[in-house]
């Protein structure tokens, strides 16, 4: 009987060791998963930073050329406004005189389609 109890004790000890090994393997697996997740996060962060830098570079190139265009358009607009203001100031007096002469200097005339009723 002692050999049976020794056999049972040995089986229980082996079962406990196997259980401990399983728990240890689960812990190692969990640690590897955690480490893989951290490495993946680092890689995605690096990739994101690279792509953001590329985007900022492209954006600065595009926005730089757009700002040059907008400055050129603004300058052309200001030149055109100055030209129109100069033309306005030059012609305003003659236009007002023409309008006043048309309104004030009326000569009464009979319309060509007017018929005298007999």
């Amino acid at each position: 009987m002692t050999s049976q109890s020794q056999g049972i004790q040995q089986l229980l000890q082996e079962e406990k060791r196997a259980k401990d090994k399983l728990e240890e393997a689960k812990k190692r697996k969990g640690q590897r998963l955690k480490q893989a997740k951290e490495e993946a996060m680092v890689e995605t962060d690096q990739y994101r930073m690279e792509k953001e830098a590329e985007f900022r570079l492209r954006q600065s190139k595009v926005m730089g050329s757009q700002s040059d265009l907008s400055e050129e358009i603004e300058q052309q607009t200001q030149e055109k406004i100055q030209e129109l203001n100069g033309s306005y100031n030059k012609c305003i007096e003659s236009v007002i005189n023409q309008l006043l002469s048309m309104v004030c200097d009326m000569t009464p005339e009979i319309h060509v389609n007017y018929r005298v009723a007999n």
Side-chain angles (χ1 to χ4, degrees), residues 56-68:
R56 279 189 236 110
L57 181 64
R58 287 182 185 168
Q59 187 179 26
S60 66
K61 285 181 182 177
V62 170
M63 294 305 286
S65 63
Q66 283 182 352
S67 66
D68 293 342

Side-chain angles (χ1 to χ4, degrees), residues 29-54:
K29 182 180 177 183
Q31 288 174 347
R32 279 185 286 160
L33 285 174
K34 189 182 281 188
Q35 182 181 4
K37 184 178 179 181
E38 289 173 359
E39 289 174 2
M41 291 296 287
V42 168
E43 286 180 22
T44 55
D45 287 342
Q46 286 176 342
Y47 181 77
R48 183 182 301 119
M49 286 189 286
E50 289 173 12
K51 291 302 176 181
E52 284 178 358
E54 288 177 20

Side-chain angles (χ1 to χ4, degrees), residues 1-112:
M1 224 164 60
T2 57
S3 66
Q4 280 184 343
S5 73
Q6 282 180 344
I8 292 174
Q9 285 295 327
Q10 194 175 12
L11 274 174
L12 289 174
Q13 287 175 353
E14 292 298 323
E15 190 177 311
K16 185 177 180 199
R17 270 192 241 142
K19 188 176 180 181
D20 289 342
K21 282 187 178 184
L22 276 175
E23 286 178 17
E24 188 177 323
K26 284 181 183 180
K27 285 181 185 178
R28 280 188 303 215
K29 182 180 177 183
Q31 288 174 347
R32 279 185 286 160
L33 285 174
K34 189 182 281 188
Q35 182 181 4
K37 184 178 179 181
E38 289 173 359
E39 289 174 2
M41 291 296 287
V42 168
E43 286 180 22
T44 55
D45 287 342
Q46 286 176 342
Y47 181 77
R48 183 182 301 119
M49 286 189 286
E50 289 173 12
K51 291 302 176 181
E52 284 178 358
E54 288 177 20
F55 174 74
R56 279 189 236 110
L57 181 64
R58 287 182 185 168
Q59 187 179 26
S60 66
K61 285 181 182 177
V62 170
M63 294 305 286
S65 63
Q66 283 182 352
S67 66
D68 293 342
L69 279 175
S70 65
E71 287 175 7
E72 184 179 334
I73 290 171
E74 183 67 29
Q75 181 183 5
Q76 290 175 355
T77 303
Q78 291 300 322
E79 290 172 2
K80 189 68 174 176
I81 288 172
Q82 288 176 354
E83 180 184 325
L84 290 173
N85 282 337
S87 174
Y88 168 79
N89 290 331
K90 188 170 104 179
C91 298
I92 186 73
E93 195 171 321
S94 65
V95 170
I96 289 176
N97 287 336
Q98 284 178 349
L99 283 172
L100 286 174
S101 69
M102 286 181 183
V103 171
C104 295
D105 300 333
M106 294 183 67
T107 55
E109 297 177 359
I110 298 176
H111 197 272
V112 293

